[in-house]
Amino acid sequence: MSIDSHAATPNYQQLPNEVFEARIADLRARYADCDLCAYECYVDRTAGQKGTCQVDDTAYVSAYFPHFGEEDCLRGHNGSGTIFLANCNMKCVFCQNFETSHEAEGEPATSEEIADMALELEARGCHNVNFVSPTHHSPHLIEAVKIARDRGLDVPIVWNCGGYERPEILEHLDGIVDVYMPDVKWSDDAAAAKYSKAPSYWENGTESLREMHRQVGDLRIDDTGLATGGLLVRHLVMPNHVENATGVLTFLAEELSTETFVNVMAQYRPHYRARTESFYEEISRPITADEYEAVVEHARDVGLERLSLDRSMLQSHGGLFDRF
């Protein structure tokens, strides 16, 4: 495990002003012919047009607060400084936050106001600033980071996304984001199209994961147990989709690094359309302990050791917890 013995300087502290400003300008210009995510809708959001994310060139924040439900290395003792952006560049039919992600619950916020939120969260003791569903709002968020930096922000930036990114856009975040945390849902493009309405998800996902890892490397933990930088991958195990999970884990181990930190999540419950529509019957139940065991065993088989596992699921399955 990679351990930082001293507090690390956030990436954005070292980025020259002229580079920062050029990145912001280029990202903002993309609102007019939007290609900020893998959908590449090419709508003019500056003219009020809306693509898949259903947002114009205004940023919307649904909530911000110290979050104690994130991974241990993010929440620490004082919480992860989470800023939830409204809407999403994916349309998962099982979304547990569909009111925010699909139905635009949120208040408009300028870059300056988002910077104020980040600074407030830092002042409250949060260990990082954690942007949730950031992709379609990236111009505002990167500008907010610069404004906050110039006013004293000095905690890591976490990019908490759905994995449906574009490497070209991620390159604009190089030297700004400290921790990439993609929730990599699919290695099966057919499943991604059906359940997340995300065409070519895996092709975009693998290219994006390579770019994220190139920028920040494996997750680094300081001697207090907090993440200072690197890649943290989440994967939500889905019912009847063990092969999908093993595809994700095999890629991480064989194409990125066996030191990749992976949170193998077992908390899937059918929400939103997956709970009510017969077209999604195969994902209308929670996962089983057998399904979770198969995924965890595969993670071990391919050499992944830095795993965050669901203890309650393992303990419910006899001696499985002792074995892992």
Side-chain angles (χ1 to χ4, degrees):
M1 179 181 296
S2 180
I3 297 179
D4 286 346
S5 59
H6 302 287
T9 301
N11 286 336
Y12 58 86
Q13 291 287 6
Q14 305 169 63
L15 195 68
N17 279 336
E18 60 273 18
V19 176
F20 225 139
E21 290 165 359
R23 302 268 189 88
I24 294 166
D26 186 78
L27 287 171
R28 274 201 172 273
R30 292 173 182 269
Y31 274 142
D33 194 26
C34 191
D35 64 350
L36 290 172
C37 83
Y39 269 110
E40 297 182 85
C41 296
Y42 296 115
V43 298
D44 184 355
R45 292 169 64 180
T46 67
Q49 296 178 6
K50 298 177 181 180
T52 301
C53 69
Q54 290 298 295
V55 182
D56 60 14
D57 64 342
T58 306
Y60 292 86
V61 174
S62 61
Y64 71 100
F65 53 87
H67 194 347
F68 293 90
E70 303 288 59
E71 287 78 357
D72 289 347
C73 61
L74 295 180
R75 68 174 177 243
H77 294 293
N78 298 323
S80 176
T82 303
I83 300 177
F84 281 91
L85 286 306
N87 285 64
C88 184
N89 70 319
M90 296 177 66
K91 297 299 175 192
C92 299
V93 299
F94 50 88
C95 183
Q96 64 181 359
N97 299 313
F98 64 89
E99 297 92 346
T100 295
S101 298
H102 294 241
E103 298 176 358
E105 286 190 0
E107 295 296 326
T110 65
S111 298
E112 291 80 6
E113 289 168 333
I114 297 171
D116 288 340
M117 297 173 196
L119 289 163
E120 179 186 333
L121 291 166
E122 181 185 36
R124 294 173 68 179
C126 293
H127 306 291
N128 45 68
V129 172
N130 180 353
F131 292 126
V132 180
S133 298
T135 305
H136 54 302
H137 291 307
S138 53
H140 281 83
L141 301 182
I142 299 313
E143 185 173 31
V145 172
K146 183 181 185 301
I147 294 169
R149 180 193 73 170
D150 294 345
R151 293 171 51 193
L153 187 72
D154 195 30
V155 293
I157 299 297
V158 180
W159 200 255
N160 185 343
C161 63
Y164 199 44
E165 317 301 304
R166 293 187 61 232
E168 180 183 352
I169 303 303
L170 293 173
E171 289 173 6
H172 288 67
L173 312 185
D174 191 3
I176 299 173
V177 169
D178 298 286
V179 177
Y180 280 107
M181 187 164 64
D183 183 352
V184 183
K185 291 179 169 61
W186 307 107
S187 62
D188 178 348
D189 276 342
K194 180 175 182 178
Y195 304 119
S196 294
K197 313 308 176 186
S200 302
Y201 179 91
W202 188 228
E203 178 183 354
N204 286 287
T206 53
E207 292 178 359
S208 295
L209 283 165
R210 288 191 176 98
E211 175 60 20
M212 293 175 187
H213 191 260
R214 180 195 70 78
Q215 291 182 24
V216 298
D218 295 326
L219 190 70
R220 298 177 299 284
I221 308 289
D222 69 14
D223 52 11
T224 70
L226 292 172
T228 60
L231 177 66
L232 190 165
V233 177
R234 289 172 167 174
H235 178 71
L236 179 64
V237 180
M238 300 285 292
N240 291 307
H241 285 85
V242 168
E243 289 88 359
N244 175 73
T246 60
V248 171
L249 297 170
T250 298
F251 172 83
L252 295 175
E254 295 183 356
E255 302 294 330
L256 294 189
S257 168
T258 54
E259 290 296 308
T260 303
F261 188 106
V262 188
N263 183 358
V264 184
M265 300 185 295
Q267 70 262 36
Y268 176 81
R269 298 292 184 276
H271 291 280
Y272 194 40
R273 297 170 64 188
R275 184 176 58 189
T276 61
E277 297 184 22
S278 60
F279 186 59
Y280 306 113
E281 182 178 4
E282 62 274 22
I283 61 168
S284 64
R285 62 166 174 82
I287 66 167
T288 66
D290 285 338
E291 288 171 324
Y292 193 69
E293 176 183 4
V295 173
V296 174
E297 285 187 335
H298 182 80
R300 296 299 196 200
D301 288 344
V302 296
L304 293 169
E305 297 290 337
R306 300 179 69 189
L307 302 174
S308 176
L309 302 177
D310 188 299
R311 292 172 178 266
S312 62
M313 178 66 78
L314 296 174
Q315 289 169 336
S316 73
H317 206 231
L320 183 59
F321 180 72
D322 296 332
R323 286 165 43 207
F324 295 111

